[in-house]
Amino acid sequence: MLAHFIFAVMLGVSASGKATGVPRPQSVDPKADVENPAPVFPDNAPLASSGIIPKEKIIETIKGPPEGQVSAELTTWRAYERAEKTGTSHFVGPDRQVWVLKAKMPEFNDFRLGLIRDAEVTFVFDAETGQLLNQKIVGFPDKLPMIARPDR
């Protein structure tokens, strides 16, 4: 009798999953390369200059640096990774064109780190979509956000 009860409960759970529309997991595609997945931003090196966001428009996206304190360079993701020694990312294709902006700011306010003084900030924007891909901040924090917590 206990076996019938367990079977009925399992049948009810199985049927309720179908009724609510909960998707069942699909089987894993054996052809999928899990170690090297396809990048979200694939290579676009042969992209015509008309498809690239102009330098002036990219510089306008960052606010705060004094005049003349911003440099912008159009390069590939691979060249950026090599220059910064960041390692390989499968998120962006190696030949994806990116804008690398470097700015020196007396103060930079980051939502995670708080106020950073004498900041050197590197922004990496996708040259085709303008999406921020990476950000590196070097400077002196006003206070250490993880340590300076009076409630803990």
Side-chain angles (χ1 to χ4, degrees):
M1 179 140 163
L2 181 63
H4 290 290
F5 176 75
I6 292 173
F7 179 72
V9 169
M10 290 178 62
L11 186 62
V13 168
S14 167
S16 68
K18 289 179 183 176
T20 60
V22 175
R24 293 181 179 248
Q26 299 294 320
S27 62
V28 176
D29 182 8
K31 298 176 197 168
D33 188 354
V34 293
E35 290 184 20
N36 297 310
V40 175
F41 292 91
D43 295 340
N44 67 352
L47 185 66
S49 62
S50 62
I52 294 175
I53 296 173
K55 178 179 181 177
E56 297 78 25
K57 198 154 184 87
I58 283 292
I59 290 175
E60 287 175 4
T61 61
I62 60 171
K63 305 207 182 329
E67 189 70 30
Q69 295 293 317
V70 179
S71 66
E73 176 188 8
L74 182 64
T75 186
T76 63
W77 182 256
R78 176 183 291 135
Y80 165 72
E81 285 182 322
R82 284 184 183 156
E84 294 293 324
K85 297 177 177 84
T86 61
T88 304
S89 169
H90 297 292
F91 181 66
V92 183
D95 290 324
R96 183 77 178 189
Q97 294 186 49
V98 295
W99 280 109
V100 178
L101 276 67
K102 295 187 179 203
K104 293 184 180 184
M105 301 181 201
E107 294 181 342
F108 181 75
N109 198 359
D110 183 69
F111 73 94
R112 296 168 294 153
L113 303 173
L115 184 66
I116 308 293
R117 298 193 187 282
D118 297 324
E120 293 180 15
V121 187
T122 303
F123 300 95
V124 182
F125 291 97
D126 180 50
E128 186 177 352
T129 64
Q131 185 168 346
L132 181 64
L133 300 175
N134 197 13
Q135 177 177 309
K136 176 182 163 186
I137 305 166
V138 177
F140 302 99
D142 197 36
K143 54 184 160 178
L144 300 174
M146 298 306 287
I147 296 172
R149 295 184 65 177
D151 61 329
R152 301 225 179 208

